[in-house]
Amino acid sequence: MGELKLIEAYKSDLQNYSMEQLQYIIDEGIWSICQMYDHLIVVAHEYLDNVELCAKAEVEQVLGKTEFGERLYQNGNFPPIKIKLPDEMNAPPNNQENIENLTTRLDHVKHRLQEWKWRVGEINANFKVKHGGFGWLNAQEWYDLVGMHFRHHLNQKAELELNIGIGKRGYIQGTHLEDERQ
């Protein structure tokens, strides 16, 4: 699924939650659906800011991706594991948003993606910005990372929906989810 359709699906799913469900935190260290959405939006803007930096670059970068970055782009997605960031990068996302604000913020991400969709391929592939874990990425790679990141969080979204009682037991992206409430 393309990144624009994926964002539309996330927007559509927002309409299924009450405010209580949106902000429900099942346990310490586990995000609410609201926090997951906030995280996705903030990170998407960071990635798109780096697309813009690549577009404005004037010096080519000869260095490339890390080994992990190479594997990530060869596979076209994040590994199906939970990734924990270092504590200094892992401040809890905002849990005070409502459905309307999250929808507006997703629209802004979608608009920025649409602005870059056709232009990103024209940016010199050697104009790069460094990612802390993946190495030096060009504009197209930063752009692609937005969709990969949204897809990566689909399993987390499904698990959170189970926690609020609206999810379905079953297979999500090839991972069998057990409903622990039974």
Side-chain angles (χ1 to χ4, degrees):
M1 180 184 302
E3 59 281 336
L4 299 174
K5 286 184 180 180
L6 189 58
I7 290 173
E8 279 302 313
Y10 269 91
K11 276 179 42 183
S12 177
D13 287 351
L14 269 174
Q15 308 314 308
N16 298 327
Y17 313 130
S18 68
M19 280 302 294
E20 285 180 344
Q21 291 171 324
L22 186 70
Q23 297 176 348
Y24 178 70
I25 296 175
I26 190 169
D27 202 2
E28 185 178 332
I30 297 176
W31 290 348
S32 68
I33 291 173
C34 181
Q35 288 174 304
M36 183 200 67
Y37 270 80
D38 181 68
H39 166 76
L40 285 168
I41 293 164
V42 167
V43 170
H45 282 300
E46 288 175 11
Y47 293 167
L48 291 167
D49 289 347
N50 285 322
V51 169
E52 290 185 29
L53 289 174
C54 290
K56 293 176 184 175
E58 296 177 1
V59 177
E60 293 189 1
Q61 174 56 254
V62 295
L63 297 176
K65 293 185 272 307
T66 63
E67 184 179 331
F68 184 76
E70 287 291 345
R71 280 197 313 267
L72 178 82
Y73 282 91
Q74 285 171 357
N75 294 332
N77 55 38
F78 286 84
I81 59 171
K82 293 183 181 183
I83 299 172
K84 179 150 172 56
L85 296 173
D87 288 341
E88 62 272 7
M89 296 175 63
N90 204 24
N94 183 4
N95 197 33
Q96 301 302 311
E97 291 285 352
N98 62 40
I99 292 166
E100 183 179 326
N101 288 345
L102 289 170
T103 300
T104 300
R105 292 174 63 204
L106 284 169
D107 281 336
H108 189 228
V109 170
K110 185 178 173 188
H111 177 73
R112 287 186 74 192
L113 282 165
Q114 288 171 318
E115 284 181 345
W116 286 106
K117 186 171 179 77
W118 304 112
R119 296 177 24 208
V120 72
E122 299 172 1
I123 300 168
N124 182 331
N126 291 316
F127 290 167
K128 302 175 185 177
V129 173
K130 189 174 185 181
H131 182 283
F134 308 146
W136 291 91
L137 306 179
N138 64 36
Q140 183 67 59
E141 292 163 335
W142 281 108
Y143 182 92
D144 293 343
L145 201 53
V146 174
M148 284 192 269
H149 190 237
F150 270 85
R151 283 189 301 278
H152 173 69
H153 280 276
L154 286 173
N155 279 338
Q156 178 188 21
K157 183 174 161 300
E159 289 176 14
L160 293 172
E161 287 173 344
L162 283 173
N163 292 338
I164 62 171
I166 66 169
K168 298 179 182 88
R169 275 186 52 198
Y171 290 89
I172 306 293
Q173 287 191 340
T175 303
H176 186 67
L177 299 175
E178 293 294 330
D179 186 348
E180 297 172 1
R181 292 170 287 145
Q182 291 186 353

